[in-house]
Each structure stands twice: as structure tokens, then as C-alpha cells.
Amino acid sequence: MPCPLPVRQIGPLTVSAIGLGCMNLSHGYLPRPDTAQAERLLLHALESGVTFFDTAAIYGFGRNEELLGRTLMHRRNEFTLASKCVLAEVDGKRGLDGSPQAITRVLDDALRRLQVDHIDLYYMHRLDAKVPIEESMGAMARAVEAGKIRAIGLSEMSAATIKRAHAVHPIAAVQTEYSPWTRNPEIAVLDACKELGIGFVAFSPLGRGLLAGRINDDGVGEGDMRADMPRFLPPHLGHNLALYEKLRAVADEAGCSAAQLCLAWVLSKGEHIVPIPGTTSIAHLDEDLAALSLDLPGDVLAAVDALFPAGVASGARYSRLAQSQTDTETWPGELVE
């Protein structure tokens, strides 16, 4: 039987306090694991007590959903399944389509790929500015009524958009990048979630690997999505690696890894917050989950806050194109000119 982990509440869903972001098993980062390695990682996560698995239509243009479908669904009753729509394959390329027709089509495709009759938590992955959020939410609400999804989520959306969407149908969770070096949710989204009783899911809580020591001076290779993100390119990369070294020094003093310190910091920001780090390594997954056993004193967490005031990271977190598809609030001077 799986080992129990501490749990947290996301809307109507009870999930392990750390979930698994599944993107880099099929998409985004390099190198990617082979099929057998990806399957072992997913099953090890389940055996380790992870009960929250996060995928999306865009991850590998459906291949990630297929991976979860064939690997985990024989144990469907043991975990909460989350996936996403709107940001998906459009004419063979990454694109946005928040129309009700597209949401319905992408959801039906996801159900087929995942081999399930419903998805527990289904997000709008991004805001399609061409479609009023109320129209998109109408399709999501109808999917709830039809029993295809249990709860609705939003990803990378602003507090104003969250409130508009929540007025149409209750939102269970908002997912946004959140880590010591990406604190945009603190501008308004965390407060909006607390006000409305919405859970918050923190993706990339380890700074897309940099804050876990997975990036060096060479950066990332061509074909890795981070190669389009200014923070991982010169002249910004050197500054950001120096920030990591300072974080690692705090972690060393506290007797934990930098990755564990990041996760403990995110978890400390509220009982309604669930981080979903991703990895292709069983050893790294075990390291991440061990963060739930830490009992760090307040001064250690305060030291992380002091190291990473808003805006301390060098470079925008997204390219100009990716930022144009993101509704989340930004700090002054953050955007690519």
C-alpha cells in the first residue's frame, strides 16, 4: 500500500501536500526520459503517497495524458487527476482557443487519452483574450453538469479574471508559477484565492530546476523550453546562479537541500497551497517529498524571503510570445521590452 503523506484541501478535493507535475516526462525540458523511465517514476510517486497528478493537453500534444492513461488508471481511485485545456494543439502548433467548442473538443480528447470518464480538476491553462472568460467558463460549467469534470481550475490568470470566472461558477484551484524567485502571486492572486476560498497550486516551485541546483553555467540546450526564457540566458543566468548559491548556503546551514528549502518555503505560505514539482528522477522525487518531514525554524524561512525580494531575479520569466499568453500580474520592469 502507498505510504501516506500529509494532505491539503483544494476546493472539494483532498490531495497530498506535494503533488507531481508531469510535464517534463513528455514535454518542455531536456533530456526527456524514455517510456519505461517515465512509467517507473509515475508508479513510484503513487507508491510514495503522491495523490495529485497534474498533466495538460499541450504536454507533448497529448502524449503526456496518454502516458498517465496507460500507466496509472488501473489505480484510478487512489489519486486526484488534474489536466488542462485552452492552451493546446491548434493546426499542429501550440495555440490558444478558449471557445466553448474547443474546450468541449479538447476535454473529450483528454478523456479518451486518459482512459477515464471524468477528470477531477480541469483547468483553463491560459486566458484566451479573444473569448470573454464568461463564455469559456460556461463550457467548463456545462462539463461539470455533464459529469465530465468534478471541479474547475484556472492557470496563470490575474485576480480580476479569477473573480470574473468565479462569478460564473465556483473555482476550486488557481495554478501559477510560485517559488522564492517568482513571487508574482503575492501581488494579488494569493489574496484573491484566500478571499474566495480557492486553493492555490504552485507550479515550478523549484525555479524550473535552477533553485534545485539542476542548472549550471552552460545553461540549457537547444530544444529545451527554458532556452527561450531570459532568466536562463546570458547575461541573466550568472546573476541567477549566484542567487542559487546563496540559497544553497542557507539550506546547508539548515541541514536540508535547496530543493527541500524551496518546497518548505512554498508550503509555509498557506495551508491552501500545494506545490507540484516535476522531475524525471526517482531520487529527486524522494528528495522533494522529504521536504514534508522538515520542521524549519521561522528564521530560516525568513532568510529565504530576505534573499528573494520581489524582482531580485534577473530577466523576465517568459519570452515576449509566452508572456502575451499570460494574464498573471507582473512586477514593474519584469517584462521583455
Side-chain angles (χ1 to χ4, degrees):
M1 290 294 292
C3 305
L5 294 176
V7 297
R8 289 191 168 186
Q9 200 72 21
I10 297 291
L13 309 168
T14 302
V15 301
S16 54
I18 292 178
L20 181 66
C22 299
M23 180 191 75
N24 53 353
L25 297 176
S26 312
H27 181 89
Y29 301 166
L30 297 176
R32 289 191 196 117
D34 61 28
T35 298
Q37 181 184 350
E39 291 173 350
R40 285 194 299 271
L41 187 283
L42 289 170
L43 291 170
H44 182 80
L46 193 60
E47 287 298 326
S48 300
V50 174
T51 62
F52 190 28
F53 291 82
D54 182 274
T55 182
I58 194 64
Y59 298 163
F61 286 2
R63 290 191 298 276
N64 198 249
E65 289 178 328
E66 290 173 348
L67 170 66
L68 268 66
R70 67 175 178 266
T71 306
L72 296 181
M73 297 313 154
H74 64 293
R75 297 172 64 173
R76 177 70 178 91
N77 65 337
E78 296 181 35
F79 63 91
T80 293
L81 174 64
S83 193
K84 311 179 194 73
C85 61
V86 178
L87 180 60
E89 182 179 1
V90 178
D91 298 328
K93 299 179 181 179
R94 166 189 167 119
L96 289 175
D97 191 342
S99 67
Q101 297 86 351
I103 287 173
T104 300
R105 182 183 70 252
V106 172
L107 171 56
D108 287 343
D109 287 344
L111 294 171
R112 172 181 52 79
R113 289 190 291 253
L114 288 161
Q115 303 180 34
V116 296
D117 60 7
H118 74 279
I119 295 170
D120 299 307
L121 177 59
Y122 202 54
Y123 295 90
M124 292 177 58
H125 204 158
R126 294 290 188 272
L127 176 68
D128 182 353
K130 302 184 302 297
V131 181
I133 188 67
E134 290 81 3
E135 290 186 19
S136 299
M137 280 297 298
M140 300 288 278
R142 289 189 291 274
V144 173
E145 293 168 1
K148 294 181 178 181
I149 61 178
R150 289 181 60 196
I152 297 173
L154 304 174
S155 178
E156 288 280 34
M157 298 196 192
S158 66
T161 301
I162 293 165
K163 291 176 180 178
R164 285 174 59 189
H166 192 74
V168 176
H169 187 282
I171 300 299
V174 169
Q175 180 177 143
T176 292
E177 183 177 357
Y178 189 42
S179 71
W181 82 340
T182 298
R183 300 178 66 168
N184 301 67
E186 295 176 5
I187 299 173
V189 165
L190 288 179
D191 285 343
C193 289
K194 187 174 182 180
E195 173 189 342
L196 298 172
I198 298 172
F200 183 87
V201 176
F203 78 78
S204 297
L206 307 182
R208 300 185 182 274
L210 188 144
L211 298 183
R214 316 294 185 226
I215 306 293
N216 58 32
D217 292 332
D218 295 330
V220 296
E222 184 178 354
D224 189 301
M225 67 185 293
R226 293 167 292 188
D228 291 325
M229 297 176 176
R231 289 185 180 183
F232 294 89
L233 302 171
H236 308 293
L237 180 59
H239 170 91
N240 294 329
L241 287 173
L243 289 175
Y244 161 71
E245 291 298 333
K246 294 178 181 178
L247 176 74
R248 186 173 62 84
V250 175
D252 287 347
E253 182 69 21
C256 63
S257 70
Q260 291 167 341
L261 179 55
C262 282
L263 290 167
W265 181 88
V266 172
L267 288 162
S268 76
K269 294 300 180 179
E271 288 295 323
H272 64 302
I273 297 175
V274 176
I276 52 167
T279 184
T280 63
S281 162
I282 286 176
H284 292 165
L285 174 62
D286 290 344
E287 175 188 346
D288 292 346
L289 296 180
L292 292 169
S293 301
L294 294 177
D295 184 16
L296 297 177
D299 62 329
V300 172
L301 299 173
V304 178
D305 278 311
L307 277 178
F308 291 92
V312 72
S314 182
R317 68 186 182 106
Y318 284 128
S319 66
R320 184 180 289 107
L321 174 61
Q323 184 62 52
S324 72
Q325 299 177 337
T326 303
D327 186 48
T328 312
E329 294 87 353
T330 57
W331 300 103
E334 178 184 342
L335 302 182
V336 175
E337 296 298 332

